[in-house]
Amino acid sequence: MSKAETVDQYIEKHPAWSKELKELRNFMLSYNLEEGIKWGGPVYMLDGKNLFGLGAFKNHYAIWFFQGGLLEKNTSLLVNAQEGKTQAMRQIKFDRSFDLNLKELTGYIDETIALHKQGKKVAAAPPKEFKIAEDLKNRINKDDVLNKAFNNLTPGKQKEYSEYISQAKREETKLSRLEKIMPLILSGKGLNDKYKNC
């Protein structure tokens, strides 16, 4: 399935929720927010900053609050987007059992916009230290070019590779994975780059 390039295309790709998505879209636009497509879905911005996103899935649709972790007054419908992984992102999920109540959503949107105008945002957590998998460490230490390429990767990409190797149980699997990732490391790519921006 090709990626949506406009909000209209995104809505067309989700006919099960098109009525609800159109309603939410009009609601967001009533706040004079900038509309765009990022990460394949509708995003609503103010002053160029991502505030809200819409998403549609098989069994539900959602509003994403990029700085939802800041909300204090309007929180009862918010859930963490990925528990244990996201600090700021929150969402409100809707399914067939949930009547979309735009009046109730007004408080969430108003509070988010007010916090943005005050310049508030969730501070990024310091990156967690991680230990490079021994097999990977041994391999990169034997090859200066590979070592340099690995050290030029972002800490996040280094961690992806390290976890990929350390999660293998059998020695054969570790060796097979090491062979697979060497060209990616040398080309400066992350393990999961091909899944990003889809």
Side-chain angles (χ1 to χ4, degrees), residues 137-144 146-147:
K137 190 175 183 179
N138 292 339
R139 177 61 77 88
I140 62 177
N141 284 340
K142 290 178 185 173
D143 183 333
D144 289 340
L146 186 62
N147 196 329

Side-chain angles (χ1 to χ4, degrees), residues 64 79-83 86 89-91:
W64 303 93
V79 293
N80 195 312
Q82 282 186 297
E83 200 63 55
T86 57
M89 180 89 74
R90 299 291 184 272
Q91 65 178 316

Side-chain angles (χ1 to χ4, degrees), residues 35 102 133 152 172 178 187:
E35 180 180 71
L102 297 180
N152 284 335
E172 299 82 37
L178 280 166
S187 65

Side-chain angles (χ1 to χ4, degrees), residues 71-89:
L71 272 67
E72 293 179 358
K73 298 174 190 163
N74 299 278
T75 60
S76 62
L77 298 176
L78 293 178
V79 293
N80 195 312
Q82 282 186 297
E83 200 63 55
K85 291 191 176 186
T86 57
Q87 286 183 270
M89 180 89 74

Side-chain angles (χ1 to χ4, degrees), residues 22-23 25 61 70 84 97 105 127 132 138-139 153 159 177 184 195:
K22 285 176 186 174
E23 230 178 309
R25 178 190 196 189
Y61 61 102
L70 290 173
S97 67
L105 290 178
I132 297 174
N138 292 339
R139 177 61 77 88
L153 295 173
K159 184 178 178 184
R177 288 183 176 187
L184 295 172
Y195 302 111

